[in-house]
Amino acid sequence: MKTFNLCFCVLLLVFALTGCDSSSNPSGKQQVVVYTSVDRIFAEPVLQRATETLGIEVIGVYDTEETKSTGLVNRLIAKKDNPDGDLFWSGDPARAALLKAEGITAAYDASGAASIPAAFKDPDRHWIGFSARTRVLLVNTDLVAAGEEPKSISDLTQPKWKGQVAIANPLFGTTSFHVAALVQALGEEKVFQWLEDLRSNEANIVSSNGEVKRQVASGLASVGLTDSDDAAEAIADGQPVRALLLDQTGESAPPIGNLVIPNTVSLIQNGPNPDSARKIFDFLLSPEVQTMLADSCAQAPLNPTVAVPDNVVSLKGIVPMNVDYATCAEVLQRIMPQLDKWVNQE
């Protein structure tokens, strides 16, 4: 009986020790869970490549397009004391900055961060950017002649564009980030007056950037605010559209510039698989991934050594909006109730 009890205790100890190895699943293979707000069609091949390259099983947790970023952030906050994810791959830095402020993420000074411009990484290394979209104005070429397009976001409220502008619901995704960045650049009063003027001008408020693309491509709207990856997809599909950057020139003052939206990756504090997670973090910063995203969804590489394809907007050629991403996250939180009121007003 004593021998049996001793063997049983040894087995329990072995089981406990192996069970505490959170970098392995029951099959013994290393595993990492990545929350990502990036479109699954673009993110999934990258995560699959990470699995193939590193031999680590990477599981993506995705969100719907309509609630992109917001749903994932809320889930991560809710699971702060018992996280089930290892990394957060965000489509914009505002959510990464928010998670840092909430104590959800941990600092990680990845080796690949050295090649990324300082403007696109957190000074404490709670998030690091690696590829970027730009906000663009998508224009239907059958409805708007070359040279007649709006040149600034302020032009979208002019009577000539009444009922012809599409914009995604600003409670979600990059549209909410865009509004927060505008508030930072122009002030809350001016931006909410602009939103009111858009509503008065009968702008089409739709569910997502993808729906903006569909509205403009089909001619239901003449122009629409969306992201460069959606625009590139429409152009590649042969739709009658072109993409323009806004606020690149100013008549009496420097222009506010066009918003640049880097992807970011963050390490989740006390995530179950920290060692494997750092390897995937490093992989996401690699030139290989930035090349993949440039090819698949026209995202501009932030690593200057990575070639920029012809169909990708080069960051060297634009006047960017001057954005403090951490401040932008704080602004986004502050204006959410007012945005909700604007969206849901009768």
Side-chain angles (χ1 to χ4, degrees), residues 303-341:
N303 184 327
T305 67
V306 179
V308 181
D310 292 339
N311 67 320
V312 176
V313 176
S314 172
L315 299 184
K316 296 179 181 178
I318 73 171
V319 178
M321 187 182 294
N322 185 18
V323 178
D324 182 309
Y325 294 110
T327 301
C328 198
E330 296 170 4
V331 169
L332 183 58
Q333 278 191 294
R334 188 183 76 245
I335 67 174
M336 268 298 177
Q338 196 171 350
L339 275 178
D340 182 73
K341 183 178 179 181

Side-chain angles (χ1 to χ4, degrees), residues 41 44 50 61 70 74 81 110 147 165 225 229 247 261 273 301 330:
I41 191 174
E44 196 165 48
V61 178
T70 307
N74 289 339
D81 295 331
V165 178
L225 289 170
D229 54 345
D247 294 291
I261 311 169
N273 312 295
E330 296 170 4

Side-chain angles (χ1 to χ4, degrees), residues 31-35 47 51 57-62:
Q31 189 177 80
V32 167
V33 176
V34 179
Y35 278 62
L47 300 183
T51 293
E57 183 180 5
V58 183
I59 300 171
V61 178
Y62 305 93

Side-chain angles (χ1 to χ4, degrees), residues 137 139 144 148-152 155-156 161 223 244-246:
L137 184 73
V139 179
V144 183
E148 297 298 318
E149 313 93 342
K151 302 297 189 298
S152 168
D155 294 341
L156 301 178
W161 301 110
V223 297
L244 302 174
L245 299 175
L246 294 177

Side-chain angles (χ1 to χ4, degrees), residues 67 178 197 234:
T67 61
H178 192 186
D197 292 344

Side-chain angles (χ1 to χ4, degrees), residues 152-157 167 178-179 182 186 188-200 225 342:
S152 168
I153 60 163
S154 61
D155 294 341
L156 301 178
T157 62
I167 181 173
H178 192 186
V179 172
L182 288 171
L186 300 174
E188 192 168 323
E189 183 177 350
K190 286 185 178 180
V191 172
F192 276 93
Q193 184 59 57
W194 173 72
L195 288 171
E196 288 297 331
D197 292 344
L198 275 178
R199 184 181 290 280
S200 298
L225 289 170
W342 181 83

